[in-house]
Amino acid sequence: TAMATEIDRILSGKKYAPAPKRERYDTLIVGAGFAGAVLAERLANDSGQRVLVVDRRPHIGGNAYDEHDAAGVLIHRYGPHIFHTNSADVFDYLSRFTEWRSYEHRVLASVDDKLVPMPINRTTLNALYGLSLENDAEAAAFLASRAEPVEDIRTSEDVVVAAVGRDLYETFFRGYTRKQWGL
Ligand SMILES: Cc1cc2nc3c(=O)[nH]c(=O)nc-3n(C[C@H](O)[C@H](O)[C@H](O)COP(=O)(O)OP(=O)(O)OC[C@H]3O[C@@H](n4cnc5c(N)ncnc54)[C@H](O)[C@@H]3O)c2cc1C
């Protein structure tokens, strides 16, 4: 309920106000993004704990935070976010706090004169590499065959190269990340 109240407050445009002081808390959570907010809600509502959530930003939501700009348009302050899941549990949990706006993600990336689905799926791999992968298992096996072991994972580049190999990293992930995040 604390999170729902906070969301109501943000949506109604009221000014930020710190939580009322209590004598003691069971848990301190630093960061009110998805991770901190969900942990706080679970600990408070499921375990009856008193939880204090702090964040150096004056809002909840972390990088996924959105707000209305001066023209009343809903914008993502830290970059665009969409949500998708195939988990009924996750969908049911979040539905306690939000309504949904349906959205179809049909993005094509222009690579080597071809327009291919982004994020990468089986269709992308078949078009790019002239393959005829027929199911998820075949796609996963292909990606595994391209993956390059990285001993010391330090950056998101390392994560992607270790999962799908350098070629796909350079073809897709590097440019996407640079365009979206400027990094
Ligand atoms: C441009 C962009 C686009 C993205 N697009 C998508 C998308 O479409 N779909 C999707 O599912 N995910 C997307 N993501 C990823 C998603 O934003 C993250 O997975 C998610 O926000 C992570 O949540 P988190 O709670 O772990 O961290 P964060 O959201 O980063 O929250 C951490 C919070 O902790 C606070 N904090 C950190 N250190 C301190 C400190 N020392 N003291 C006080 N406060 C602190 C920060 O201010 C922040 O509010 C995107 C990310 C970016 C940047």
Side-chain angles (χ1 to χ4, degrees):
T1 50
M3 192 156 132
T5 309
E6 174 65 1
I7 289 167
D8 285 347
R9 187 195 60 72
I10 288 170
L11 292 179
S12 67
K14 284 190 200 130
K15 283 227 163 94
Y16 174 73
K21 284 210 172 98
R22 289 187 189 272
E23 281 174 19
R24 66 168 190 88
Y25 295 92
D26 299 304
T27 304
L28 166 67
I29 292 185
V30 180
F34 286 145
V38 170
L39 269 175
E41 189 279 332
R42 292 288 69 216
L43 288 172
N45 283 336
D46 239 25
S47 305
Q49 290 197 21
R50 287 183 165 187
V51 183
L52 177 65
V53 183
V54 298
D55 200 298
R56 60 187 164 202
R57 293 168 171 169
H59 59 71
I60 62 166
N63 278 332
Y65 177 64
D66 61 13
E67 61 188 334
H68 289 96
D69 71 4
V73 177
L74 189 62
I75 58 159
H76 291 94
R77 191 188 289 187
Y78 307 102
H81 281 75
I82 58 169
F83 176 80
H84 55 93
T85 182
N86 57 8
S87 161
D89 285 349
V90 170
F91 180 79
D92 290 344
Y93 175 73
L94 289 173
S95 295
R96 291 163 44 192
F97 308 103
T98 187
E99 291 176 351
W100 299 99
R101 189 178 300 140
S102 68
Y103 172 80
E104 283 190 35
H105 198 59
R106 294 190 197 177
V107 175
L108 298 179
S110 171
V111 180
D112 298 339
D113 295 332
K114 292 184 187 118
L115 290 175
V116 292
M118 171 86 193
I120 293 174
N121 61 21
R122 196 150 45 84
T123 310
T124 316
L125 297 176
N126 283 337
L128 273 184
Y129 294 99
L131 302 169
S132 47
L133 303 169
E134 285 185 357
N135 52 48
D136 290 350
E138 285 183 20
F142 173 76
L143 291 176
S145 75
R146 314 281 303 189
E148 298 168 31
V150 178
E151 211 161 277
D152 189 14
I153 302 265
R154 299 173 61 85
T155 65
S156 57
E157 173 180 338
D158 296 336
V159 174
V160 176
V161 169
V164 303
R166 181 153 297 278
D167 187 46
L168 277 169
Y169 165 73
E170 288 182 358
T171 307
F172 275 96
F173 291 88
R174 186 171 59 184
Y176 171 81
T177 307
R178 183 171 290 168
K179 183 172 180 182
Q180 284 274 66
W181 304 353
L183 292 171

